Amino acid sequence: MQANSSKDPLHGVTLQKIVEQLVDYYGFDTLAELIKIRCFSENPSVKSSLTFLRKTAWARKKVEELYLRTIPKFEK
């Protein structure tokens, strides 16, 4: 039997890992410029960002899209 393989590039990647990698790479200041949401600009933290992104689908989608555009940069 074949193992299930997903074509979804986000398969198996947690939202926490996405946010932490983006913060490590860009920092909150740049993230706030790239994605205009207050959880990145006002008293930013990974915890508060995760709380907001888990409740707000449109914001999570923007973060996931940025992550997908940034993945090649992580691998360098």
Side-chain angles (χ1 to χ4, degrees):
M1 235 194 309
Q2 283 185 328
N4 289 338
S5 62
S6 176
K7 292 185 180 189
D8 180 4
L10 294 174
H11 180 76
V13 181
T14 65
L15 182 59
Q16 182 172 351
K17 181 177 178 181
I18 291 171
V19 172
E20 287 173 347
Q21 285 190 313
L22 289 174
V23 169
D24 287 346
Y25 188 79
Y26 291 110
F28 279 111
D29 290 339
T30 303
L31 275 177
E33 291 174 18
L34 295 171
I35 304 172
K36 306 283 191 226
I37 51 178
R38 288 191 312 183
C39 68
F40 292 152
S41 61
E42 296 181 17
N43 297 318
S45 72
V46 171
K47 183 178 178 183
S48 66
S49 298
L50 290 172
T51 300
F52 176 75
L53 294 170
R54 286 183 178 128
K55 295 178 183 178
T56 315
W58 65 264
R60 180 179 179 143
K61 183 176 183 198
K62 288 180 180 272
V63 169
E64 289 172 346
E65 289 170 351
L66 177 61
Y67 178 78
L68 290 173
R69 290 193 310 267
T70 307
I71 286 174
K73 295 174 186 176
F74 292 144
E75 295 171 353
K76 288 184 178 179

PDB file of all heavy atoms in Angstrom, residues 58-74:
ATOM      1  N   TRP A  58      -9.289  35.113   7.399  1.00  0.00           N
ATOM      2  CA  TRP A  58      -8.666  35.929   6.353  1.00  0.00           C
ATOM      3  C   TRP A  58      -7.227  36.289   6.717  1.00  0.00           C
ATOM      4  O   TRP A  58      -6.351  36.316   5.861  1.00  0.00           O
ATOM      5  CB  TRP A  58      -9.493  37.182   6.057  1.00  0.00           C
ATOM      6  CG  TRP A  58      -9.582  38.158   7.197  1.00  0.00           C
ATOM      7  CD1 TRP A  58     -10.578  38.250   8.117  1.00  0.00           C
ATOM      8  CD2 TRP A  58      -8.626  39.168   7.545  1.00  0.00           C
ATOM      9  NE1 TRP A  58     -10.304  39.253   9.023  1.00  0.00           N
ATOM     10  CE2 TRP A  58      -9.116  39.844   8.690  1.00  0.00           C
ATOM     11  CE3 TRP A  58      -7.418  39.574   7.005  1.00  0.00           C
ATOM     12  CZ2 TRP A  58      -8.440  40.890   9.305  1.00  0.00           C
ATOM     13  CZ3 TRP A  58      -6.727  40.622   7.614  1.00  0.00           C
ATOM     14  CH2 TRP A  58      -7.247  41.266   8.744  1.00  0.00           C
ATOM     15  N   ALA A  59      -6.976  36.554   8.001  1.00  0.00           N
ATOM     16  CA  ALA A  59      -5.627  36.909   8.438  1.00  0.00           C
ATOM     17  C   ALA A  59      -4.714  35.683   8.386  1.00  0.00           C
ATOM     18  O   ALA A  59      -3.566  35.773   7.953  1.00  0.00           O
ATOM     19  CB  ALA A  59      -5.662  37.489   9.850  1.00  0.00           C
ATOM     20  N   ARG A  60      -5.245  34.543   8.802  1.00  0.00           N
ATOM     21  CA  ARG A  60      -4.456  33.305   8.744  1.00  0.00           C
ATOM     22  C   ARG A  60      -4.065  32.993   7.297  1.00  0.00           C
ATOM     23  O   ARG A  60      -2.931  32.611   7.022  1.00  0.00           O
ATOM     24  CB  ARG A  60      -5.247  32.146   9.340  1.00  0.00           C
ATOM     25  CG  ARG A  60      -4.475  30.848   9.310  1.00  0.00           C
ATOM     26  CD  ARG A  60      -5.261  29.710   9.913  1.00  0.00           C
ATOM     27  NE  ARG A  60      -4.485  28.492   9.836  1.00  0.00           N
ATOM     28  CZ  ARG A  60      -4.470  27.556  10.752  1.00  0.00           C
ATOM     29  NH1 ARG A  60      -5.214  27.684  11.837  1.00  0.00           N
ATOM     30  NH2 ARG A  60      -3.745  26.470  10.604  1.00  0.00           N
ATOM     31  N   LYS A  61      -5.001  33.213   6.379  1.00  0.00           N
ATOM     32  CA  LYS A  61      -4.715  32.951   4.967  1.00  0.00           C
ATOM     33  C   LYS A  61      -3.566  33.835   4.476  1.00  0.00           C
ATOM     34  O   LYS A  61      -2.677  33.378   3.766  1.00  0.00           O
ATOM     35  CB  LYS A  61      -5.966  33.183   4.131  1.00  0.00           C
ATOM     36  CG  LYS A  61      -5.780  32.861   2.675  1.00  0.00           C
ATOM     37  CD  LYS A  61      -7.050  32.995   1.878  1.00  0.00           C
ATOM     38  CE  LYS A  61      -6.745  32.577   0.450  1.00  0.00           C
ATOM     39  NZ  LYS A  61      -7.697  33.007  -0.493  1.00  0.00           N
ATOM     40  N   LYS A  62      -3.569  35.108   4.863  1.00  0.00           N
ATOM     41  CA  LYS A  62      -2.493  36.016   4.461  1.00  0.00           C
ATOM     42  C   LYS A  62      -1.141  35.562   5.028  1.00  0.00           C
ATOM     43  O   LYS A  62      -0.123  35.618   4.341  1.00  0.00           O
ATOM     44  CB  LYS A  62      -2.796  37.445   4.908  1.00  0.00           C
ATOM     45  CG  LYS A  62      -3.901  38.106   4.102  1.00  0.00           C
ATOM     46  CD  LYS A  62      -4.142  39.507   4.602  1.00  0.00           C
ATOM     47  CE  LYS A  62      -5.223  40.182   3.823  1.00  0.00           C
ATOM     48  NZ  LYS A  62      -4.747  40.863   2.645  1.00  0.00           N
ATOM     49  N   VAL A  63      -1.139  35.105   6.269  1.00  0.00           N
ATOM     50  CA  VAL A  63       0.093  34.625   6.896  1.00  0.00           C
ATOM     51  C   VAL A  63       0.588  33.365   6.182  1.00  0.00           C
ATOM     52  O   VAL A  63       1.775  33.227   5.895  1.00  0.00           O
ATOM     53  CB  VAL A  63      -0.126  34.380   8.404  1.00  0.00           C
ATOM     54  CG1 VAL A  63       1.049  33.641   9.023  1.00  0.00           C
ATOM     55  CG2 VAL A  63      -0.357  35.708   9.120  1.00  0.00           C
ATOM     56  N   GLU A  64      -0.332  32.457   5.881  1.00  0.00           N
ATOM     57  CA  GLU A  64       0.043  31.228   5.176  1.00  0.00           C
ATOM     58  C   GLU A  64       0.586  31.535   3.782  1.00  0.00           C
ATOM     59  O   GLU A  64       1.565  30.923   3.337  1.00  0.00           O
ATOM     60  CB  GLU A  64      -1.145  30.276   5.091  1.00  0.00           C
ATOM     61  CG  GLU A  64      -1.506  29.664   6.435  1.00  0.00           C
ATOM     62  CD  GLU A  64      -2.792  28.864   6.416  1.00  0.00           C
ATOM     63  OE1 GLU A  64      -3.579  28.981   5.442  1.00  0.00           O
ATOM     64  OE2 GLU A  64      -3.028  28.111   7.378  1.00  0.00           O
ATOM     65  N   GLU A  65      -0.016  32.491   3.089  1.00  0.00           N
ATOM     66  CA  GLU A  65       0.468  32.873   1.757  1.00  0.00           C
ATOM     67  C   GLU A  65       1.874  33.463   1.831  1.00  0.00           C
ATOM     68  O   GLU A  65       2.726  33.153   1.001  1.00  0.00           O
ATOM     69  CB  GLU A  65      -0.500  33.863   1.107  1.00  0.00           C
ATOM     70  CG  GLU A  65      -1.815  33.229   0.686  1.00  0.00           C
ATOM     71  CD  GLU A  65      -2.875  34.238   0.270  1.00  0.00           C
ATOM     72  OE1 GLU A  65      -2.666  35.467   0.454  1.00  0.00           O
ATOM     73  OE2 GLU A  65      -3.926  33.800  -0.212  1.00  0.00           O
ATOM     74  N   LEU A  66       2.128  34.310   2.826  1.00  0.00           N
ATOM     75  CA  LEU A  66       3.466  34.864   3.003  1.00  0.00           C
ATOM     76  C   LEU A  66       4.461  33.751   3.308  1.00  0.00           C
ATOM     77  O   LEU A  66       5.567  33.725   2.774  1.00  0.00           O
ATOM     78  CB  LEU A  66       3.481  35.916   4.119  1.00  0.00           C
ATOM     79  CG  LEU A  66       4.855  36.508   4.436  1.00  0.00           C
ATOM     80  CD1 LEU A  66       5.443  37.232   3.229  1.00  0.00           C
ATOM     81  CD2 LEU A  66       4.770  37.440   5.637  1.00  0.00           C
ATOM     82  N   TYR A  67       4.070  32.822   4.148  1.00  0.00           N
ATOM     83  CA  TYR A  67       4.941  31.687   4.476  1.00  0.00           C
ATOM     84  C   TYR A  67       5.291  30.900   3.222  1.00  0.00           C
ATOM     85  O   TYR A  67       6.457  30.559   3.005  1.00  0.00           O
ATOM     86  CB  TYR A  67       4.238  30.793   5.501  1.00  0.00           C
ATOM     87  CG  TYR A  67       5.027  29.568   5.881  1.00  0.00           C
ATOM     88  CD1 TYR A  67       6.083  29.651   6.781  1.00  0.00           C
ATOM     89  CD2 TYR A  67       4.717  28.322   5.354  1.00  0.00           C
ATOM     90  CE1 TYR A  67       6.819  28.527   7.139  1.00  0.00           C
ATOM     91  CE2 TYR A  67       5.439  27.197   5.706  1.00  0.00           C
ATOM     92  CZ  TYR A  67       6.479  27.307   6.605  1.00  0.00           C
ATOM     93  OH  TYR A  67       7.203  26.192   6.948  1.00  0.00           O
ATOM     94  N   LEU A  68       4.313  30.630   2.378  1.00  0.00           N
ATOM     95  CA  LEU A  68       4.563  29.866   1.162  1.00  0.00           C
ATOM     96  C   LEU A  68       5.508  30.615   0.217  1.00  0.00           C
ATOM     97  O   LEU A  68       6.340  29.999  -0.448  1.00  0.00           O
ATOM     98  CB  LEU A  68       3.250  29.532   0.444  1.00  0.00           C
ATOM     99  CG  LEU A  68       2.370  28.519   1.168  1.00  0.00           C
ATOM    100  CD1 LEU A  68       1.025  28.383   0.451  1.00  0.00           C
ATOM    101  CD2 LEU A  68       3.067  27.186   1.297  1.00  0.00           C
ATOM    102  N   ARG A  69       5.390  31.938   0.175  1.00  0.00           N
ATOM    103  CA  ARG A  69       6.313  32.726  -0.664  1.00  0.00           C
ATOM    104  C   ARG A  69       7.712  32.783  -0.056  1.00  0.00           C
ATOM    105  O   ARG A  69       8.694  33.003  -0.762  1.00  0.00           O
ATOM    106  CB  ARG A  69       5.782  34.166  -0.831  1.00  0.00           C
ATOM    107  CG  ARG A  69       4.553  34.277  -1.695  1.00  0.00           C
ATOM    108  CD  ARG A  69       4.262  35.712  -2.073  1.00  0.00           C
ATOM    109  NE  ARG A  69       4.253  36.654  -0.973  1.00  0.00           N
ATOM    110  CZ  ARG A  69       3.180  37.008  -0.286  1.00  0.00           C
ATOM    111  NH1 ARG A  69       2.002  36.483  -0.571  1.00  0.00           N
ATOM    112  NH2 ARG A  69       3.264  37.894   0.680  1.00  0.00           N
ATOM    113  N   THR A  70       7.806  32.569   1.253  1.00  0.00           N
ATOM    114  CA  THR A  70       9.070  32.713   1.963  1.00  0.00           C
ATOM    115  C   THR A  70       9.810  31.389   2.118  1.00  0.00           C
ATOM    116  O   THR A  70      11.005  31.395   2.365  1.00  0.00           O
ATOM    117  CB  THR A  70       8.808  33.340   3.351  1.00  0.00           C
ATOM    118  OG1 THR A  70       8.051  34.536   3.184  1.00  0.00           O
ATOM    119  CG2 THR A  70      10.102  33.691   4.062  1.00  0.00           C
ATOM    120  N   ILE A  71       9.145  30.259   1.974  1.00  0.00           N
ATOM    121  CA  ILE A  71       9.768  28.945   2.190  1.00  0.00           C
ATOM    122  C   ILE A  71      11.115  28.818   1.481  1.00  0.00           C
ATOM    123  O   ILE A  71      12.090  28.380   2.098  1.00  0.00           O
ATOM    124  CB  ILE A  71       8.823  27.795   1.771  1.00  0.00           C
ATOM    125  CG1 ILE A  71       7.713  27.616   2.788  1.00  0.00           C
ATOM    126  CG2 ILE A  71       9.589  26.481   1.638  1.00  0.00           C
ATOM    127  CD1 ILE A  71       6.662  26.600   2.396  1.00  0.00           C
ATOM    128  N   PRO A  72      11.229  29.197   0.208  1.00  0.00           N
ATOM    129  CA  PRO A  72      12.552  29.046  -0.443  1.00  0.00           C
ATOM    130  C   PRO A  72      13.647  29.831   0.279  1.00  0.00           C
ATOM    131  O   PRO A  72      14.801  29.422   0.278  1.00  0.00           O
ATOM    132  CB  PRO A  72      12.324  29.592  -1.848  1.00  0.00           C
ATOM    133  CG  PRO A  72      10.855  29.453  -2.078  1.00  0.00           C
ATOM    134  CD  PRO A  72      10.222  29.646  -0.732  1.00  0.00           C
ATOM    135  N   LYS A  73      13.316  30.928   0.906  1.00  0.00           N
ATOM    136  CA  LYS A  73      14.312  31.730   1.621  1.00  0.00           C
ATOM    137  C   LYS A  73      14.757  31.021   2.895  1.00  0.00           C
ATOM    138  O   LYS A  73      15.900  31.169   3.324  1.00  0.00           O
ATOM    139  CB  LYS A  73      13.740  33.107   1.937  1.00  0.00           C
ATOM    140  CG  LYS A  73      13.445  33.920   0.700  1.00  0.00           C
ATOM    141  CD  LYS A  73      12.756  35.215   1.028  1.00  0.00           C
ATOM    142  CE  LYS A  73      12.340  35.933  -0.242  1.00  0.00           C
ATOM    143  NZ  LYS A  73      11.581  37.145   0.029  1.00  0.00           N
ATOM    144  N   PHE A  74      13.842  30.257   3.534  1.00  0.00           N
ATOM    145  CA  PHE A  74      14.197  29.510   4.742  1.00  0.00           C
ATOM    146  C   PHE A  74      15.220  28.417   4.424  1.00  0.00           C
ATOM    147  O   PHE A  74      16.051  28.083   5.233  1.00  0.00           O
ATOM    148  CB  PHE A  74      12.977  28.827   5.368  1.00  0.00           C
ATOM    149  CG  PHE A  74      11.961  29.765   5.949  1.00  0.00           C
ATOM    150  CD1 PHE A  74      10.617  29.476   5.853  1.00  0.00           C
ATOM    151  CD2 PHE A  74      12.321  30.928   6.604  1.00  0.00           C
ATOM    152  CE1 PHE A  74       9.661  30.307   6.394  1.00  0.00           C
ATOM    153  CE2 PHE A  74      11.380  31.783   7.155  1.00  0.00           C
ATOM    154  CZ  PHE A  74      10.038  31.462   7.049  1.00  0.00           C
TER     155      PHE A  74
END
